[in-house]
Amino acid sequence: MTKKLWGSRFPKKTSVLTDRFTSSISFDKRLAKYDILGSIAHAKMLARKKIIPEKDARAIVKGLNVILKDFKNGKFKFDARAEDIHSNIQEVLFKKIGSAAHKLHTARSRNDQIVLDVKMYIKDEIDNLLGLITSLEASILKFAKGNPRIIIPGYTHLQVAQCVLLAHHLLAYIESLERDKERLRSCKERTDQMPLGSCALSGTGLAIDRNFVKKELGFAELTQNSIDSVSDRDFIIELLADLAIVSVHLSRMSEDLILWSTKEFNFIDLDFSFCTGSSIMPHKKNPDVLELIRGSAGKIQGNLSNVLILMKGLPLSYNRDLQLDKPPLFDTIDTVGDILEIFVELFKNIRVKKEVIAEKLVDESLFSVDIVEYLIKKGVSYRDAHDIVGRMVRDCLDKGRKISSLSARELKNYSKKLAPDVKKILNAWASVNLKTSYGGTSPRLVERQLAVWDRHLRGVYGYTTPRRCVR
């Protein structure tokens, strides 16, 4: 078993039950790469400041690079009995280079070491998530550009409301995803502070150079307070909060696609590769993947609550409770990453049922606001126009008669301002073409927005899907 870094103080071995309960190697092993890179930078700094001999630092760095290579090649064997990843790597290093390994932990504590590892991990994962979100935006944009002239009924309260372009609806997803990216970038900025050198909680009396380590590891700034450095996890909470919002957006997208794929809506056909069947009903084609995405949002929000509740009662500074911040963090990052990858592919394989959608656009209730605005343009007050159209809906649409079937005389009975030319706006294309306010659904505006997003995504981020971090 890996030797405990603190074992010499104890007169007897800890219970097997204690070892099993307190070990974190089962989940913090994914931080191995960052632990090794942080240790290499730390060893170089110790030698540079003549805190340890140069030859010992060279041996440490060489040994750690061998371990890092083994890790990248999948040859590194984690010790399931180790207390944590720090102890595991320290023990492997000792077996490779001998007593020089014992000098590596000079001027640091596992308290600042673990914060360093997690911050490095989060910075990489945010970059990966930003790339995946961009790939999803690009996939949605391609789907929208491939269906630029499809009009669908828009809904409020899940009741038919007004006509909108399908592309306009899809661009709404991209807008929300772009805000998600802004939050993640902002979170990364606050995470990008190097904590190593804070040690257990008070810093050290040894002449270390934290700036050197900061530059070696690519951090933007140093943490300013050693107690805060080792005891707060607000950067984890912030990331979990940001990803909880991402999950809400992804869940709502799932719900739209689930509804649109039902027989009742029948707007789209999902590819079989993202559906499952029924063990008893042979005809079923269920959107189970989307339902699990929708369900996963609850788990992600629960992970945020988990860490918030974990932190809310902890006194300064470090407490072992903080070991438990990583499972919800890792789970959330994995889940969101998986969902994003699924959505990128799913949007590439959606078939729009154009004829079915077109049949739903004959519902003239979709054009009630257009008639109201027609009257307003002729000098009728909004309140009167609303009342006039309300009566028309009550007398005609509620009784199965089309407004477009009204004669000129019948139209005048509702308002002298109503003329037969009002019938020209009682169709989907006229309706969307009328929505010319900035951000509206007119084809001209939507086409412009599609072009803007195409330039934005290509020019700023590119369309390549990033590689996921090793789990």
Side-chain angles (χ1 to χ4, degrees):
M1 181 176 181
T2 301
K3 185 178 180 180
K4 294 180 173 64
L5 298 178
W6 44 267
S8 60
R9 186 263 181 262
F10 274 52
K12 61 186 292 187
K13 291 183 177 181
T14 51
S15 164
V16 173
L17 294 173
T18 298
D19 290 339
R20 188 169 64 225
F21 187 68
T22 60
S23 175
S24 61
I25 188 69
S26 63
F27 51 83
D28 66 18
K29 63 183 181 182
R30 78 163 62 192
L31 299 174
K33 179 180 78 170
Y34 305 103
D35 200 74
I36 296 166
L37 292 173
S39 293
I40 289 172
H42 184 65
K44 289 179 178 179
M45 181 275 293
L46 293 175
R48 189 169 182 266
K49 298 297 291 183
K50 302 188 186 309
I51 296 172
I52 66 173
E54 179 68 34
K55 65 175 184 178
D56 289 337
R58 284 198 302 269
I60 290 170
V61 171
K62 182 179 179 180
L64 287 170
N65 276 318
V66 171
I67 296 172
L68 181 60
K69 184 178 180 181
D70 288 344
F71 171 75
K72 290 180 176 178
N73 294 335
K75 295 179 181 179
F76 184 85
K77 294 183 179 180
F78 294 99
D79 184 354
R81 299 171 298 168
E83 186 176 13
D84 52 41
I85 189 59
H86 321 299
S87 304
N88 196 168
I89 291 173
Q90 180 82 24
E91 185 68 15
V92 173
L93 182 64
F94 174 73
K95 290 178 181 178
K96 287 185 179 295
I97 69 170
S99 60
H102 291 161
K103 297 180 180 179
L104 173 60
H105 207 56
T106 307
R108 75 175 183 183
S109 163
R110 288 184 298 174
N111 294 2
D112 58 347
Q113 194 177 350
I114 187 58
V115 180
L116 175 73
D117 293 355
V118 174
K119 283 191 170 185
M120 291 173 69
Y121 165 80
I122 283 178
K123 285 168 60 181
D124 275 358
E125 286 291 357
I126 286 177
D127 287 342
N128 288 331
L129 289 168
L130 287 171
L132 285 169
I133 294 172
T134 298
S135 294
L136 175 53
E137 289 174 317
S139 187
I140 295 171
L141 183 65
K142 185 176 181 180
F143 181 50
K145 289 169 66 178
N147 296 278
R149 298 182 64 80
I150 301 298
I151 300 172
I152 62 173
Y155 291 78
T156 61
H157 310 277
L158 270 183
Q159 303 294 318
V160 169
Q162 293 178 269
C163 293
V164 295
L165 287 173
L166 172 61
H168 188 61
H169 188 109
L170 295 168
L171 284 172
Y173 297 153
I174 296 178
E175 292 281 348
S176 63
L177 290 170
E178 191 68 16
R179 291 193 299 275
D180 291 333
K181 286 161 61 176
E182 291 171 4
R183 279 184 283 268
L184 288 170
R185 284 193 292 267
S186 181
C187 176
K188 183 182 176 183
E189 288 179 7
R190 279 179 287 280
T191 303
D192 202 9
Q193 298 179 339
M194 207 285 296
L196 206 64
S198 300
C199 299
L201 78 161
S202 64
T204 178
L206 297 172
I208 63 172
D209 185 352
R210 295 186 68 207
N211 268 303
F212 174 83
V213 179
K214 179 197 79 173
K215 293 176 182 177
E216 283 285 299
L217 297 176
F219 278 86
E221 300 174 1
L222 290 174
T223 56
Q224 299 298 308
N225 182 286
S226 59
I227 295 176
D228 177 64
S229 298
V230 302
S231 63
D232 209 332
R233 296 295 186 270
D234 55 356
F235 63 98
I236 292 179
I237 293 171
E238 182 175 2
L239 177 59
L240 291 176
D242 292 345
L243 293 181
I245 296 172
V246 173
S247 76
V248 168
H249 290 148
L250 298 175
S251 179
R252 296 187 73 189
M253 287 165 53
S254 296
E255 177 64 7
D256 279 349
L257 297 178
I258 290 168
L259 286 172
W260 288 356
S261 67
T262 61
K263 291 292 185 183
E264 289 72 22
F265 278 76
N266 209 22
F267 288 2
I268 61 171
D269 187 26
L270 297 171
D271 192 77
F272 279 97
S273 59
F274 293 99
C275 298
T276 65
S278 167
S279 62
I280 190 172
M281 294 173 283
H283 69 284
K284 294 298 293 294
K285 181 185 178 185
N286 298 325
D288 286 18
V289 172
L290 290 169
E291 291 172 350
L292 287 172
I293 290 172
R294 186 177 59 188
S296 294
K299 179 182 69 168
I300 291 166
Q301 291 158 26
N303 286 339
L304 169 60
S305 295
N306 184 331
V307 180
L308 283 169
I309 295 168
L310 173 71
M311 290 295 301
K312 62 100 182 166
L314 295 186
L316 298 180
S317 61
Y318 182 82
N319 297 272
R320 189 65 178 268
D321 312 49
L322 296 176
Q323 175 176 299
L324 301 177
D325 60 4
K326 284 167 282 300
L329 171 67
F330 297 155
D331 179 67
T332 292
I333 289 174
D334 290 347
T335 303
V336 172
D338 288 344
I339 292 172
L340 289 169
E341 288 183 333
I342 288 169
F343 261 130
V344 168
E345 297 304 314
L346 187 144
F347 270 103
K348 294 178 182 178
N349 296 283
I350 294 176
R351 183 175 68 85
V352 179
K353 296 185 175 181
K354 302 176 183 180
E355 296 79 9
V356 175
I357 294 173
E359 291 174 3
K360 298 179 183 294
L361 299 177
V362 300
D363 181 356
E364 289 186 348
S365 63
L366 288 163
F367 316 122
S368 65
V369 175
D370 300 319
I371 305 174
V372 169
E373 293 184 350
Y374 167 94
L375 289 167
I376 290 172
K377 291 173 184 176
K378 292 201 168 188
V380 180
S381 72
Y382 167 76
R383 184 72 270 156
D384 288 344
H386 190 283
D387 290 344
I388 290 166
V389 178
R391 290 195 298 272
M392 295 173 73
V393 169
R394 181 189 63 200
D395 295 345
C396 297
L397 300 184
D398 287 355
K399 296 179 180 178
R401 185 182 181 187
K402 287 182 174 290
I403 293 174
S404 57
S405 70
L406 293 174
S407 66
R409 179 184 297 178
E410 288 173 313
L411 287 169
K412 294 294 183 184
N413 288 336
Y414 289 102
S415 171
K416 294 179 180 180
K417 300 291 186 178
L418 281 171
D421 66 343
V422 73
K423 298 179 184 182
K424 294 179 181 180
I425 66 173
L426 301 183
N427 68 82
W429 271 106
S431 181
V432 294
N433 273 295
L434 286 168
K435 307 305 187 296
T436 55
S437 60
Y438 183 78
T441 195
S442 84
R444 179 175 57 84
L445 292 174
V446 172
E447 182 180 1
R448 186 181 301 168
Q449 282 298 306
L450 290 171
V452 166
W453 277 109
D454 188 60
R455 290 194 300 271
H456 181 62
L457 293 175
R458 289 185 185 277
V460 179
Y461 304 107
Y463 280 5
T464 56
T465 301
R467 293 173 58 191
R468 297 289 297 281
C469 282
V470 176
R471 297 181 184 173

